[in-house]
Amino acid sequence: MRPRVNPALFFLLPALTLIAVFYVVPLALSIYIGFTPLRNWNIAGGYLSQVTLENYERLFHMVMYDPDIGKVVATTVVFTVVTLAVNVLGGLALALTMYLMDLSGRELSLGFRTLWMLPRMTPIAVYSLMWYYFFLPGEEGILNSIAMRLGLIDEPVNWGNDPDLLPYGAWAILVVVNGLVGVSFGMVVFYAALRSIPREQIVAARVDGASTLHLVLYILIPQLRWHITYVTVWQLLSLLTTYAHIFLLVEWGAVDEFWGSNWALYVFNKAFALGESDQGLAAAAATILVLIGAGLGVLALRLMGFGRMMAEPRGEV
Amino acid sequence: MARLALRRARAEARAAERVMGDVETLRSARRAYLLAAVLGAASLPMVLLYLLLVLSSFADTIVTGPDILEARYSLDNWLMFFRGEVAPAAGRLYTTADILATIANTAIVALGVTAVVVFTSVLAGYAFSRMRFRWRRGLMTFIILLHAFPGVALIIAVYAMYVWSSMPLARSEGAMVAYAFAFTVLARASLELPMSIWLMKGFFDRIPWEVEWSALIDGASRLRAWWQIVLPQVKPGIAALAIFAFLAGWEDLIYVHVFLYIGTAGKVKTLATLIEELTANIETSYLPVVAAAGTLYLLPTILFFVLTQKLLLEAYSGGLKA
Amino acid sequence: MVEVSLERVTKRFGRVVALDQVSLVFEDGKFTALLGPSGSGKTTLLYIIAGIYKPTSGRIYFGGEDVTDLPPNKRNVGLVFQNYALYPHMTVYDNIAFPLRLRKLPESKIDRKVREVAKMLRIEELLDRYPSQLSGGQQQRVALARALVKEPTVLLLDEPLSNLDALLRVSIRAELKRLQKDLGITTIYVTHDQAEALSMADTVVVIDRGRVQQVDTPQNIYNRPRNLFVATFIGSPPANVLYARLTEKNPSLACVEVNKARFCFEGERAARLSRLGGEEVVLAFRPERARLGTEPRSDMLSIPAEVYVVETLGRENVVTLVVGASMVKVVTPPSQVPRLGESYYVLVDPRDVMLFDPVTELNIDYIEA
């Protein structure tokens, strides 16, 4: 009586096809390209049949001796660590503030939560454009204009490129721009977690005479420990692999090409540069990211307690 | 109907909240407003950033804040933009048709992504929530892990596949453009799939099994029960998913840059790549016009956002917690 | 209407055995209650009859027809869930009409049938509402209407009253029983509430840990429990249990001793007691069948005891007493309110004493010679 083909296949087929074509095949292909000297997208040129370790050797050599790559590596580390801290701590601060606001019984935080989600949802080109205006080197740049009016500087500053400010100027721009995008993730997770803490605990703590500071330190934050770890790992992962929000800032020259590029953006530009492009090297560099990403991803799922969320279906019809 | 149930549940939740709300959990309402004021002050620079963009699109210069009252405002930038003039002195780089086509292209990509994401994740989300099959748990774990994979590693290979698979189409420009669109939409939609499937699974999980069983006992087939009984109840979820997918397709830069812009040698533009192009040509670019383009591009995002903020926030946190 | 029978039905979930070799016959047109504590497997059994679960082994028959492999939509059963499982996006009318529409009946006929069943359950004025606009009792009626409208061969009810408040529950209980008698439909009713089971059912099936413990009339379930589980599960407060020593084991005279009280059984009882293997026997008696006396009586089991707690309930008092290391409860009339620490004799008529084999926990009256 049981049909030969599981009906689940019908439901899964479209998604699985897309996943196979746009994840599984490319992933294998990307790793393979890393072992070929493919350049300038010359797919038909016979590069793809030559297997070599040359890209990894070059990559190693560049990291060791090429000062530009050294800048990219340093930027990647600093950018990732500092933005991560901004994201997690900022998200925590936002969530706590909003939660405490809402404790008064009025839903005051809804508008704020939406507002802080906005950078994530804003078209990347527009978001980059706004920051481009903000850090514009001339007098018409927003930051320059405000700082000059306030008398903080006499002449407009080239925030992302001035040799005197490098690398800190470029780094600060990257952190501000990406920090604002990432902060909403922590905010949403922490806020939801705080809201799920039984209200009775807060009442009990108040009855016991806890001040708001006590409440935060001894009741709220300890219960967020697990969420903080989870957000940190997940956010670390996405910061390591993000490049879209930096891409235009580098292309438009708002930040220095190397002090303003992280590893992922370097890979992207290596592969898609308009002139000489080198997909073999880019794919090899991307493979390193994949390895780190896979490790962190598995860790994040462990932390999420992922298995528990996959309850078995009930019934057998 | 379903909305009524929702409203009732909300009313009950609010009533429960009120009971607890009677207990003084925050010392005073004044303190709540104080916190709101602090948060408002912290949010102000961000609001200002958006505000200055919008103002600049009407001004004769980039409005930087202190000069808000000094700038002269008019609709000139918007008119210039729609005429295809990118600077007062420069000639027409584009035609009005180019601009309209660019807007249409952006919409095509966004709507295409929406359609693909909704269709595939509603089906797959149901399977992961309700059906038994081998490797169910393993497959879901794998799909979530995909979400974590570096996009940059994927896009190199996906573009290689695009270059390779589009070779036979090189002779016909129409076919080439259509293929570029299809590829952009499918590739960009795939990027959304892991989270969308997980989100939809969460929505299906919330429907009591008994309701579905009732339909089966009433004589419905599994497919019919899904279509007539289960789907209508996840409508709000599907709406949230569709909005997320639309915004994702709308805001995208990298995929339209790679597949539509590079892939067609700059022939097919979207608002994102148009802004990229306008700003990149520093010599010719007149920033207030770019601000108009940016404001136009931002409009649907803000609109959706203000209208559906509650739905989006619920879905976003629901999808994360599940 | 048909008879439903299960033949050695076993259901495993992974390593957990939910149902173990259950064989049962639900008589045609009768009201049968499946009674058991939570986790006993009673709902699993109901779902297996409905087709939601497939048995790991065993067969299910409706009348003569083997339905084991039929999916639920081919079985023509009506099922009312604990949470009613109404379709929230449909009006009451559409909810009730849904099974008929699936059968592709003409709309005029559907309309007639929906109104008929709505009239029977007195929900005619609710037909245009949505489930979220109904009270619990109204939702319950709609669920029942939806189950009945398709004239099912079997009506299955899964704790349908447990989400209602106590007052409503009692009134619907009587109504449901009457409805079942009028329609004469084979009905299987799952509940953990013994009052529901005993008051409504023609036959009660007591289930525990996936096994059928007893199948009998409500009277017999109460008066002649087949084993210790049934004795202690049924009754409120449940039966008192005391371990006694067998001091005399003759087929004509068997004596037991509990807390220094000695009592001898004669005749059939003595014969059965003498056949027990060990030196122990389990005594059980219902709190409402025992009395408190100041003196022991030779014709009654008289156990010395000390008052521990007295609960006054108005209509009666429930007195808890210490007997050695155990506690027993006795229901006394309102006029008799013992004081704490007072000593009494718990008096039980030998006909009200139930005796169980301590090893098998079976009532000795049921042990085959």
Side-chain angles (χ1 to χ4, degrees):
Chain A
M1 287 305 285
R2 250 188 125 74
R4 285 274 176 82
V5 182
N6 193 327
L9 195 65
F10 162 80
F11 285 90
L12 288 170
L13 203 60
L16 289 187
T17 309
L18 280 187
I19 282 169
V21 174
F22 290 101
Y23 281 100
V24 182
V25 173
L27 210 68
L29 187 60
S30 172
I31 293 170
Y32 178 74
I33 291 175
F35 289 105
T36 69
L38 180 68
R39 53 188 64 229
N40 298 329
W41 296 112
N42 197 346
I43 304 279
Y47 288 125
L48 279 179
S49 53
Q50 306 170 30
V51 175
T52 165
L53 276 175
E54 189 199 347
N55 293 319
Y56 288 93
E57 286 162 13
R58 274 171 64 209
L59 211 55
F60 179 74
H61 192 265
M62 285 159 76
V63 170
M64 299 303 286
Y65 305 109
D66 185 338
D68 288 342
I69 302 302
K71 290 176 189 172
V72 170
V73 171
T75 303
T76 307
V77 173
V78 173
F79 161 76
T80 306
V81 170
V82 178
T83 315
L84 182 65
V86 168
N87 282 344
V88 175
L89 296 179
L92 188 61
L94 282 175
L96 279 171
T97 314
M98 289 167 182
Y99 176 74
L100 289 175
M101 264 160 62
D102 290 352
L103 267 189
S104 67
R106 297 162 198 79
E107 279 271 332
L108 294 173
S109 75
L110 180 64
F112 285 116
R113 275 182 289 150
T114 317
L115 186 66
W116 284 86
M117 285 281 285
L118 202 52
R120 182 181 289 276
M121 295 295 174
T122 303
I124 294 171
V126 179
Y127 187 71
S128 306
L129 186 67
M130 295 190 311
W131 287 111
Y132 176 71
Y133 290 162
F134 190 82
F135 291 114
L136 213 56
E139 277 173 44
E140 69 273 29
I142 294 173
L143 186 57
N144 276 329
S145 160
I146 293 175
M148 281 165 73
R149 293 260 173 156
L150 293 175
L152 297 175
I153 49 175
D154 302 326
E155 286 183 3
V157 175
N158 190 343
W159 301 98
N161 293 295
D162 190 326
D164 292 338
L165 290 177
L166 281 178
Y168 305 106
W171 286 351
I173 293 178
L174 296 191
V175 169
V176 167
V177 171
N178 277 273
L180 222 49
V181 176
V183 85
S184 56
F185 178 67
M187 174 192 82
V188 168
V189 173
F190 297 144
Y191 182 80
L194 285 170
R195 285 302 288 249
S196 70
I197 294 176
R199 207 56 179 269
E200 288 79 359
Q201 289 186 17
I202 314 297
V203 178
R206 285 299 193 200
V207 170
D208 290 343
S211 70
T212 304
L213 187 66
H214 290 145
L215 200 64
V216 169
L217 289 182
Y218 302 126
I219 310 285
L220 301 180
I221 289 187
Q223 302 201 49
L224 290 183
R225 236 180 295 158
W226 175 88
H227 297 90
I228 293 172
T229 326
Y230 162 64
V231 168
T232 306
V233 174
W234 199 252
Q235 200 67 7
L236 173 61
L237 188 57
S238 60
L239 281 173
L240 265 181
T241 59
T242 188
Y243 62 98
H245 288 92
I246 315 176
F247 169 65
L248 286 180
L249 293 179
V250 171
E251 186 185 318
W252 291 339
V255 288
D256 180 79
E257 189 188 347
F258 295 106
W259 286 121
S261 286
N262 66 350
W263 189 261
L265 181 59
Y266 178 78
V267 169
F268 181 82
N269 280 334
K270 203 80 206 157
F272 292 98
L274 286 180
E276 189 74 9
S277 63
D278 190 339
Q279 287 78 43
L281 186 74
T287 303
I288 295 171
L289 270 189
V290 169
L291 292 179
I292 300 173
L296 282 175
V298 171
L299 182 64
L301 289 192
R302 279 272 168 84
L303 287 171
M304 242 165 104
F306 184 75
R308 272 182 284 121
M309 291 193 224
M310 285 295 288
E312 284 300 314
R314 293 170 62 200
E316 293 159 352
V317 283
Chain B
M1 11 196 255
R3 205 174 298 151
L4 263 169
L6 209 67
R7 200 180 302 160
R8 209 172 104 144
R10 251 186 230 146
E12 278 164 13
R14 231 177 287 138
E17 193 108 309
R18 224 173 290 134
V19 174
M20 290 304 286
D22 288 345
V23 184
E24 244 180 44
T25 41
L26 193 68
R27 285 289 152 73
S28 67
R30 210 185 302 149
R31 218 181 262 197
Y33 287 114
L34 188 74
L35 279 174
V38 170
L39 195 57
S43 314
L44 197 64
M46 195 163 74
V47 180
L48 210 63
L49 215 59
Y50 283 87
L51 200 67
L52 290 178
L53 176 82
V54 177
L55 283 179
S56 299
S57 78
F58 295 102
D60 57 345
T61 171
I62 292 296
V63 182
T64 61
D67 58 349
I68 279 186
L69 296 175
E70 294 159 23
R72 267 169 299 141
Y73 297 95
S74 68
L75 281 174
D76 287 352
N77 299 327
W78 288 82
L79 295 174
M80 277 166 65
F81 174 67
F82 276 107
R83 279 201 302 267
E85 293 168 26
V86 292
R92 284 179 157 212
L93 281 182
Y94 309 97
T95 64
T96 303
D98 286 339
I99 301 296
L100 294 180
T102 302
I103 297 170
N105 291 342
T106 317
I108 289 172
V109 172
L111 291 173
V113 169
T114 312
V116 173
V117 166
V118 169
F119 176 71
T120 50
S121 10
V122 166
L123 285 171
Y126 179 74
F128 278 112
S129 169
R130 293 296 167 113
M131 305 181 98
R132 278 166 201 280
F133 49 90
R134 279 177 74 185
W135 311 116
R136 177 173 164 276
R137 202 177 274 252
L139 202 59
M140 191 72 235
T141 315
F142 176 69
I143 287 177
I144 291 289
L145 267 179
L146 288 181
H147 179 68
F149 270 142
V152 72
L154 294 175
I155 202 167
I156 295 173
V158 173
Y159 191 69
M161 284 159 62
Y162 171 75
V163 171
W164 172 77
S165 62
S166 63
M167 277 177 194
L169 303 170
R171 288 209 196 116
S172 154
E173 192 176 321
M176 194 71 192
V177 168
Y179 189 66
F181 265 112
F183 214 89
T184 311
V185 165
L186 290 174
R188 187 62 183 82
S190 301
L191 214 58
E192 294 299 308
L193 270 191
M195 270 301 139
S196 306
I197 292 175
W198 183 242
L199 191 68
M200 270 332 287
K201 176 192 171 294
F203 283 118
F204 283 119
D205 281 348
R206 285 184 213 172
I207 299 173
W209 274 95
E210 285 82 356
V211 174
E212 200 173 345
W213 287 338
S214 279
L216 296 174
I217 284 163
D218 284 348
S221 65
R222 189 89 202 246
L223 206 63
R224 200 186 185 101
W226 175 70
W227 182 252
Q228 265 189 310
I229 301 300
V230 179
L231 266 196
Q233 295 182 59
V234 292
K235 266 188 202 159
I238 296 177
L241 179 74
I243 294 169
F244 270 129
F246 180 86
L247 291 181
W250 184 261
E251 60 110 50
D252 179 65
L253 165 71
I254 299 296
Y255 277 71
V256 294
H257 171 90
V258 168
F259 295 102
L260 277 181
Y261 192 76
I262 302 182
T264 61
K267 279 197 281 286
V268 180
K269 287 190 197 57
T270 62
L271 282 171
T273 43
L274 180 69
I275 289 172
E276 178 188 353
E277 194 178 85
L278 290 179
T279 314
N281 296 328
I282 289 288
E283 294 80 22
T284 57
S285 71
Y286 177 61
L287 290 180
V289 173
V290 188
T295 306
L296 178 74
Y297 190 15
L298 187 60
L299 225 53
T301 308
I302 303 269
L303 212 68
F304 263 133
F305 225 70
V306 173
L307 294 181
T308 60
Q309 50 177 336
K310 202 144 193 182
L311 183 65
L312 287 184
L313 279 171
E314 270 167 24
Y316 191 54
S317 49
L320 291 167
K321 279 192 308 169
Chain C
M1 313 299 136
V2 297
E3 170 187 284
V4 175
S5 54
L6 309 180
E7 219 172 72
R8 300 163 67 80
V9 167
T10 295
K11 177 66 191 172
R12 284 195 205 93
F13 295 107
R15 243 179 283 165
V16 182
V17 181
L19 291 174
D20 190 7
Q21 303 270 2
V22 172
S23 295
L24 271 175
V25 175
F26 299 93
E27 282 175 72
D28 185 2
K30 288 285 168 59
F31 195 125
T32 309
L34 286 175
L35 177 62
S38 58
S40 57
K42 55 191 190 305
T43 299
T44 306
L45 188 58
L46 195 78
Y47 286 179
I48 281 183
I49 295 169
I52 292 168
Y53 288 140
K54 302 236 179 330
T56 312
S57 65
R59 316 295 307 169
I60 301 138
Y61 300 92
F62 285 6
E65 192 195 355
D66 184 345
V67 298
T68 315
D69 293 320
L70 282 187
N73 48 357
K74 302 270 164 59
R75 292 196 186 188
N76 194 28
V77 297
L79 175 48
V80 176
F81 286 99
Q82 186 172 358
N83 59 6
Y84 317 131
L86 298 177
Y87 310 130
H89 58 296
M90 294 185 184
T91 59
V92 168
Y93 184 96
D94 289 331
N95 261 282
I96 301 174
F98 186 69
L100 303 179
R101 292 206 169 116
L102 288 172
R103 287 185 192 176
K104 304 204 165 57
L105 294 187
E107 273 303 318
S108 60
K109 199 168 177 191
I110 292 177
D111 190 67
R112 212 181 59 233
K113 285 192 165 216
V114 170
R115 291 189 190 285
E116 218 169 84
V117 75
K119 191 175 173 196
M120 182 169 75
L121 290 164
R122 286 176 288 143
I123 49 172
E124 292 155 290
E125 70 283 7
L126 305 177
L127 287 175
D128 293 330
R129 301 222 197 143
Y130 284 96
S132 58
Q133 299 166 308
L134 304 180
S135 70
Q138 290 170 328
Q139 289 187 23
Q140 204 258 347
R141 281 163 192 276
V142 175
L144 200 57
R146 189 178 67 186
L148 288 174
V149 75
K150 56 182 179 177
E151 291 161 18
T153 47
V154 187
L155 179 62
L156 307 173
L157 305 165
D158 184 10
E159 308 237 10
L161 306 185
S162 64
N163 282 2
L164 303 177
D165 60 68
L167 228 58
L168 200 55
R169 214 179 298 170
V170 174
S171 76
I172 291 191
R173 214 151 79 180
E175 233 178 286
L176 206 57
K177 180 167 185 173
R178 179 65 206 225
L179 187 71
Q180 192 273 334
K181 285 283 162 279
D182 288 348
L183 296 175
I185 185 169
T186 312
T187 302
I188 304 173
Y189 185 105
V190 161
T191 181
H192 68 273
D193 182 336
Q194 46 171 310
E196 271 175 27
L198 297 177
S199 67
M200 295 163 82
D202 302 311
T203 308
V204 175
V205 177
V206 181
I207 297 190
D208 185 45
R209 293 184 207 167
R211 290 181 191 211
V212 174
Q213 306 293 329
Q214 187 168 6
V215 183
D216 222 321
T217 60
Q219 291 78 14
N220 278 346
I221 292 278
Y222 187 81
N223 293 320
R224 302 187 64 225
R226 198 169 164 276
N227 58 29
L228 206 51
F229 171 78
V230 179
T232 51
F233 182 64
I234 305 289
S236 162
N240 294 303
V241 175
L242 290 170
Y243 280 80
R245 232 155 36 80
L246 268 172
T247 52
E248 189 81 49
K249 266 172 80 174
N250 285 325
S252 56
L253 187 81
C255 298
V256 298
E257 192 185 292
V258 54
N259 201 25
K260 283 168 256 154
R262 194 177 142 92
F263 189 82
C264 296
F265 292 91
E266 293 166 0
E268 175 71 15
R269 277 289 184 71
R272 285 177 180 276
L273 274 175
S274 68
R275 286 200 292 269
L276 279 182
E279 297 300 310
E280 271 201 322
V281 67
V282 179
L283 293 182
F285 58 90
R286 300 214 168 269
E288 59 275 25
R289 298 279 170 85
R291 289 191 287 130
L292 293 183
T294 46
E295 296 297 325
R297 282 176 54 168
S298 59
D299 59 336
M300 283 188 170
L301 176 65
S302 312
I303 311 164
E306 193 178 294
V307 177
Y308 183 69
V309 174
V310 179
E311 298 160 70
T312 49
L313 302 177
R315 190 175 60 178
E316 65 204 16
N317 302 319
V318 177
V319 183
T320 307
L321 304 104
V322 183
V323 175
S326 323
M327 300 270 189
V328 298
K329 284 181 190 291
V330 175
V331 174
T332 64
S335 56
Q336 189 183 19
V337 187
R339 278 203 299 268
L340 295 192
E342 276 184 322
S343 291
Y344 282 96
Y345 286 92
V346 177
L347 307 174
V348 194
D349 188 296
R351 279 165 303 186
D352 290 328
V353 174
M354 304 177 277
L355 298 163
F356 298 89
D357 181 335
V359 181
T360 60
E361 299 196 342
L362 271 181
N363 191 330
I364 62 164
D365 293 349
Y366 283 89
I367 298 176
E368 311 288 327

